[in-house]
């Protein structure tokens, strides 16, 4: 174990260097020294770079020597399978190599920690007995949340890492705006970049690729999530239904989804399943940060639970990767993008139906309890569509006595660029 760790420590120097010029992420760890810090998100969203960027920040801002840092990636085949005992031996070996660290504050960065059996017991002991700052990452919200709540007992705080937002995408693309933002040339450039972003999405690896290769890699990401975070973790034998479930939802992102209708669909195709099993599968996919459901807003809990939910993907690029239509439905992609922006802020998100059954895309409850309505419109040149969306928003504002906002590509671009300057 000691020899393996020496190899990993030598390699981590290169890992630390490679993030120096990477895109800074919008997500940030809170400055709370007495908490274990956890980064959660779907695979390939950049959690590893997020951890390594934090290493770089700590080194530069506090002049901390490199031997105080330990970075372990538990997706590394040399560490798998990793038991509780193996994790303990690795951490103890770190102090054997650098015995002076027993009396110094050290920084432990443990990537994809959910791959370690009973990891929380070891982490809690080291956090309580050593002078350490501990940073964890994982690809499962519920697995980590459950163990954090039961084992770490108030010792941790979590932050979610998402694919690039549109603002981060512009930084990655090194977009430079000259002159007045309101000028037509700049608006046209940013609108074209918005279309590209909606098509290719914000996974860091795919932003610089052509559409063909990006599409293939995004499909591979979904397969990876299916196998590692759903099938293997939950011991699922028949993968055909869960793959069909994902494809169905991605092809109909930003639309209502009914388990009952889907159950009848798979039944008609001769596939064996049950409604209860399908609900479990959907829960697994949300746990893995691949898909998200948005319920109807109602003061009646029964209506919220029984009405159709709308489904969204973790990235608009995944939607395009599974859509084979020749028509680009940018309206649904744009709505998915706005959902993700609202989700990143930690909001509770619902959709709303007026008394006349007009739909408002989002009713958002912020972390401070305030509520606001949002209606998303991609093509404002269609006067009938625009009038319908504005009517729905106006009626909802009156019924709920809430403020509301119409989001169009123009207003979105202005706000996105304003946040960068």
């Amino acid at each position: 174990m000691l020899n393996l760790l020496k190899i990993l420590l030598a390699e981590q120097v290169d890992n630390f260097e490679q993030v120096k010029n990477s895109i800074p992420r919008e997500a940030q760890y809170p400055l709370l020294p007495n908490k274990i810090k956890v980064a959660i998100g779907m695979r390939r969203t950049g959690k590893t770079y997020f951890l390594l960027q934090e290493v770089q920040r700590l080194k530069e801002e506090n002049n901390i020597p490199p031997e105080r840092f330990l970075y372990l990636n538990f997706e590394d085949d040399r560490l798998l399978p990793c038991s509780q005992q193996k994790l303990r031996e690795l951490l103890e070996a770190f102090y054997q190599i650098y015995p002076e660290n027993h009396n110094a504050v050290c920084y432990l960065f443990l990537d994809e920690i959910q791959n370690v059996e009973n990891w929380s017991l070891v982490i809690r002991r080291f956090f309580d007995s050593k002078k350490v700052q501990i940073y964890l990452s994982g690809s499962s919200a519920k697995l980590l949340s459950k163990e954090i709540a039961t084992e770490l007992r108030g010792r941790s705080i979590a932050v979610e890492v998402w694919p690039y937002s549109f603002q981060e995408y512009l930084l990655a693309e090194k977009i430079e705006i000259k002159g007045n933002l309101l000028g037509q040339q700049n608006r046209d450039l940013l609108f074209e970049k918005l279309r590209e972003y909606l098509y290719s999405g914000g996974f860091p690896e795919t932003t610089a690729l052509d559409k063909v290769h990006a599409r293939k890699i995004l499909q591979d990401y979904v397969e990876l999530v299916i196998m590692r975070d759903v099938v293997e973790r939950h011991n699922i034998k028949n993968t055909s239904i869960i793959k069909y479930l994902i494809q169905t939802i991605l092809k109909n992102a930003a639309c209502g989804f009914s388990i009952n209708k889907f159950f009848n669909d798979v039944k008609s195709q001769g596939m064996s399943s049950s409604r209860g099993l399908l609900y479990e599968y959907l829960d697994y996919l949300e746990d893995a940060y691949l898909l998200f459901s948005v319920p109807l807003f109602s003061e009646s809990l029964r209506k919220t639970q029984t009405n159709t939910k709308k489904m969204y993907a973790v990235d608009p690029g995944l939607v395009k990767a599974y859509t084979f239509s020749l028509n680009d439905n940018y309206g649904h992609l744009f709505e998915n993008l706005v959902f993700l922006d609202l989700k990143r802020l930690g909001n509770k998100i619902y959709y709303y139906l007026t008394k006349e059954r007009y739909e408002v895309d989002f009713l958002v409850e912020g972390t401070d309890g305030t509520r606001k309505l949002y209606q998303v419109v991609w093509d404002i040149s269609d006067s009938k569509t625009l009038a319908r969306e504005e009517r729905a928003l106006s009626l909802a504002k009156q019924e709920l006595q809430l403020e509301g906002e119409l989001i169009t590509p123009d207003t979105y671009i202005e706000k996105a660029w304003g946040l960068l300057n």
Side-chain angles (χ1 to χ4, degrees), residues 146-188:
K146 179 180 69 176
E147 295 189 358
I148 285 170
T150 57
E151 300 292 345
L152 300 186
R153 300 171 188 169
R155 294 172 173 84
S156 66
I157 188 165
V159 62
E160 294 175 316
V161 179
W162 303 85
Y164 284 158
S165 68
F166 181 55
Q167 292 90 337
E168 290 171 321
Y169 175 79
L170 291 176
L171 289 174
E173 290 283 287
K174 297 180 172 61
I175 300 302
E176 294 184 7
I177 295 296
K178 298 179 180 179
N180 188 349
L181 171 64
L182 299 179
Q184 194 59 47
Q185 181 177 350
N186 288 334
R187 283 184 177 274
D188 289 344

Side-chain angles (χ1 to χ4, degrees), residues 315-343:
D315 184 75
L318 294 181
V319 178
K320 284 301 302 178
Y322 279 84
T323 302
F324 301 99
S325 170
L326 295 178
N327 298 318
D328 291 326
N329 193 343
Y330 283 103
H332 286 165
L333 295 174
F334 187 44
E335 184 179 328
N336 201 118
L337 168 59
V338 174
F339 163 79
L340 292 171
D341 285 351
L342 296 171
K343 185 76 172 173

